[in-house]
Amino acid sequence: MEKVADVSLSSSGVQAAKSLREIISGNSIAVFFAWAACAVILLLTTLILWMSFSRGLPFESGFSPDNYAEVFGSEHFWTVVLNTVGVGLGTVAISIFFGVPLAWLLNRTDIPMRSLFITMLAVTVIMPGLVKAMGWIMLLSPQVGLLNRLVMGIFRLREAPFDINSLWGISFIQGLMLTPSMFFLISGPMRSLDSALEEAAEVVGANRLKIIVWITSPMLWPAILGGIIYIFMTAIAMFEVAGLLGGLSENRILATEIFLAVQPFEGSSEIKYGVAGVYGLLIMAPSLFALFFYFQSLKQAHRYAVITGKGYKPKDFPLGSLRYPAILFVLFYLALAVFLPFAVLLWASLLPSLRMPSVEALSLVSFKWYSEIHYLLGGFDVMRNTLLLVVGSSALVLFFSFMISWVVVRTKLRTRRLVDTISMLPHAIPGIGFAFALLIAGIMTAKWFPWVPFYNTVWIIIAGNVLNRLSYATRITNAALIQVQQELEDAALICGARKWVSMLRVMMPLIRPSLVFAGLWTALLVFREVSMALLLIGPKNKVLATQLWILWRQGDLSQASALSIVLILITGLLILVVQRATGKIGEPRSLPQLGGGG
Amino acid sequence: MLRVKNLRKSYFMSEGAVPAVQGISFDIDEGVFLTLLGPSGCGKTTTLRCVAGLETPDSGEIYIGNEPVFLDGKGILVPPFRRGVGMVFQSYAIWPHMTVFENVAFPLVHGGFKAPKAQVKERVRKALELVGLAAQENRPAPFLSGGQQQRVSLARALVYEPKLLLLDEPLSNLDAKLREEMRLELRELVKRLKISTLYVTHDQEEALVLSDQIAVMSEGHILQKGSPREIYLDPRHPFVANFVGNANFIEGFVEPGKNGHPDFVVGTALGQMSCRLSSEIAKGERVSLVFRPEDVVIHTTAQSSRVNTFPGIIERLIFLGNRIYCEIRSGAFLLHGETNARTEIQQGANVFVEIPADYVRVLRAQ
Ligand SMILES: Nc1ncnc2c1ncn2[C@@H]1O[C@H](COP(=O)(O)OP(=O)(O)OP(=O)(O)O)[C@@H](O)[C@H]1O
Ligand SMILES: [Mg+2]
């Protein structure tokens, strides 16, 4: 018993007490890192704004409105804006067309194989947007598109009936990509709709269609609106599809303009950082505005989720003989989103060059490209970079989101609301915006502190991905930490553990499933991220996703197809790991937060 | 062992400040078991958490041993992990990702009470034996019953042999039978280990059985402190009388006593009552008379000669097994009394109630 007295009551304890005041009430480690993350977010956001007023690099040239004059005065300006809005709305339309009926069918009706379908929807992330776009180009391009040729053959047409290289094409593919996001965003509210209301309508004698139109839909509007805003924001910031389909010079949208302004390898002669800054701001502006509404709808989603938590089970709508068309509809979406592009990629990857399936073509099938996979993957450096990118990003995302959540959820600091809000900013700022800011930061670093290994290293891409995924992961860790009772943490402190020991030994293990889930999903989405990486790569920091892009741009369709298949297989493996580790795939509440498509 | 002086703590919320503890003081001597007893929300847990260092008080002083762990004036605040107290939480706070052994070993392995590896096993086993859980050592914590979890929590608090043990309603989640068993076991254990204990409960019976000293709390204040006997038999405050056991309250004015009579007389709704007044209370003052139902004697026949005897009618009878609880109306006053379970007595019967003068407490009216 004497021992205890020594530990607890030694005079050093009392002396140290004053300086420790902050540590126990302030959780200084967490506060430090949370604010570090927030500071970076704010700095980069400011940098975008700064760049828009600067003709050269910051500090090297004064402020001027010239960039705005150049952008607004450009002959393309209104075309670009209209194209962007068009792509945004088109994407929203497609994702509503598929997402809303799917959400209703899979949540509120007695459709067979429901959970299998839900899992499959979640797993469509297996196919990155870039790959999806490649597949669809091979199906619907006017020159080589297999579907186009098929239709031309059947109807003896002279011209290709579809042109994927259009705003319609971009909207179509992005819509297919974001349908699962829409689906999961409205699934929660859809489930918790009070079926009593629907039944009440039925009692009054309304028929089923009327019930859906007049009762179900109005109640869902807030959730659908939230989904629309989210999809719109994501769609206008997405670069890879438009970049691939328009070849950067047709179908210009804001996201591709940023590229043209800063990436000389795509043929633009002059690097115009300031102009890119203006475009970045133009993408961000509606998003920041929309963020407000987005938060509102998220709040409501929360409210609904609480209801679901109480084991409330709505009645399923009996489909009757409509069951078969319903299943067909689900399969139709899955075919467009995954099966068809996958099939065409697989086919192309087995041939020397793309051609229609025929007996002759079959005789040409070989695994030639796969045997050259090492060359396709881009060699050891690319592999190492990719591994570092994926592992590093997930680890850092987890670390920072845990620290932020700690401050937000487990301290009583007055600044925690601010931390919460700032950490949500990346929701509104498109990845491409961050990538641009990082590019500038990278160039400045290389110039002024050449010894800092940042510009033209994997770390700059990692930084972009960490910022981009931080908000989503933070929401998961927030939810997890809220659920851990305060006394579990207190008990560790009472046992003499310091704050960081209790974090490490008690809190982290307690929320481990959520951390694993968030970490693996981050890994998956970082692995297939290409927009930011393209803006940030140089000769030394190529990764797999950009390698694929480069192969395609070089015109090696078959090789690019083979690499896509490999990419898909790796992603699939990762998904399997997630499923094994957490069993959470297809659990609707976890997915929209991750922004599966974005 | 523990000295708390003028402790104050408010919580600040968007709706305004909640004054949870409003200037309380108490001491616990070496080896003494003190219970904070009070209704839900009176600030017991808050006090305990302030002592543990989990909550920072607004003002006041706290000493553990002779060392200050909180002094508002000097800015001294010793963090919880240096206070070296043991604590059992209301929810037990057993870490579900660890086994029983790992839970109990935590303070010795990761906490502030590091012990050499060889000793850890030994000491954990000893602590588990103390609470009778040695056999469940390797069980994952979630697979334990409520009572077992409570024991693990206790073992974890005892394994580093703290000098001060803080217990926050440790028995409130157990069923009645187990609660009674654990109550005795707990008392036995802390007495044997001679640990000073600060215990929190809202259960008066628990407090009476376990404690050396009880401090009755209400709305952030300590109303009375004393041994269980004092608290029960000599409540100094109507709230205390009512919260600890049941009590009859009757208001009245002190009237001049008859010559040579040792007692004073208080005029009440029942009539004139004789009782013993403490010297502080002067004639003419308004007072509350407090007496316990079990002190009321119920006679079925007239007792004309006795003092403090009043006629009444039995309004309600509740058979409690070991006794009968009666509500008796006498004039405008409803009186609670108890009698032996074997008493033959009926509802509506005319009875005479006697309130022995020695058992009536006279409190200044609030
Ligand atoms: N974290 C908190 N934030 C705000 N108010 C609080 C907090 N904790 C306690 N309170 C308030 O302080 C008062 C005292 O609470 P405390 O937990 O100390 O009560 P208690 O005596 O332990 O009650 P119980 O017997 O129900 O556990 C209550 O009014 C409570 O609502
Ligand atoms: Mg309490």
Side-chain angles (χ1 to χ4, degrees), chain A residues 4 8 412 487-488 490 496, chain B residues 49 82 91 95 112 160-161:
Chain A
V4 177
S8 60
K412 294 170 197 156
E487 290 192 342
L488 288 173
D490 291 342
Chain B
R49 288 174 65 84
R82 289 196 186 212
S91 64
W95 299 306
Y160 47 94
E161 301 172 350

Side-chain angles (χ1 to χ4, degrees), chain A residues 44 47-48 51 130 237-240 243 248 253-266 268 270-273 275-281 283-284 389 429-443 454-465 468 529-543 545-547 549-550:
Chain A
L44 291 180
L47 192 55
I48 302 177
M51 283 311 294
L130 179 62
M238 210 182 263
F239 162 74
E240 66 234 50
L248 290 186
I253 63 169
L254 288 170
T256 57
E257 289 301 290
I258 293 189
F259 257 80
L260 277 181
V262 297
Q263 274 292 20
F265 78 86
E266 288 293 352
S268 103
E270 193 189 347
I271 304 179
K272 293 176 177 165
Y273 294 120
V275 170
V278 177
Y279 285 123
L281 276 183
I283 295 184
M284 278 163 59
L389 169 71
I429 299 171
I432 206 166
F434 275 129
F436 167 68
L438 278 169
L439 180 69
I440 303 300
I443 293 172
F454 187 59
Y455 186 56
N456 198 11
T457 69
V458 190
W459 292 105
I460 196 168
I461 309 181
I462 290 179
N465 276 293
N468 197 30
E529 201 291 325
V530 67
S531 292
M532 285 191 291
L534 279 175
L535 205 62
L536 295 170
I537 53 164
K540 287 195 201 141
N541 57 356
K542 294 198 181 96
V543 293
T546 58
Q547 193 63 20
W549 171 274
I550 292 167

Side-chain angles (χ1 to χ4, degrees), chain A residues 105-107 109-118 120 316-328 330-331:
Chain A
L105 285 173
L106 296 180
N107 286 304
T109 70
D110 60 350
I111 192 168
M113 296 182 289
R114 187 200 312 227
S115 60
L116 176 71
F117 284 143
I118 292 180
M120 287 174 91
D316 287 342
F317 190 96
L319 283 176
S321 57
L322 286 174
R323 184 151 91 241
Y324 301 104
I327 293 178
L328 272 182
V330 179
L331 289 178

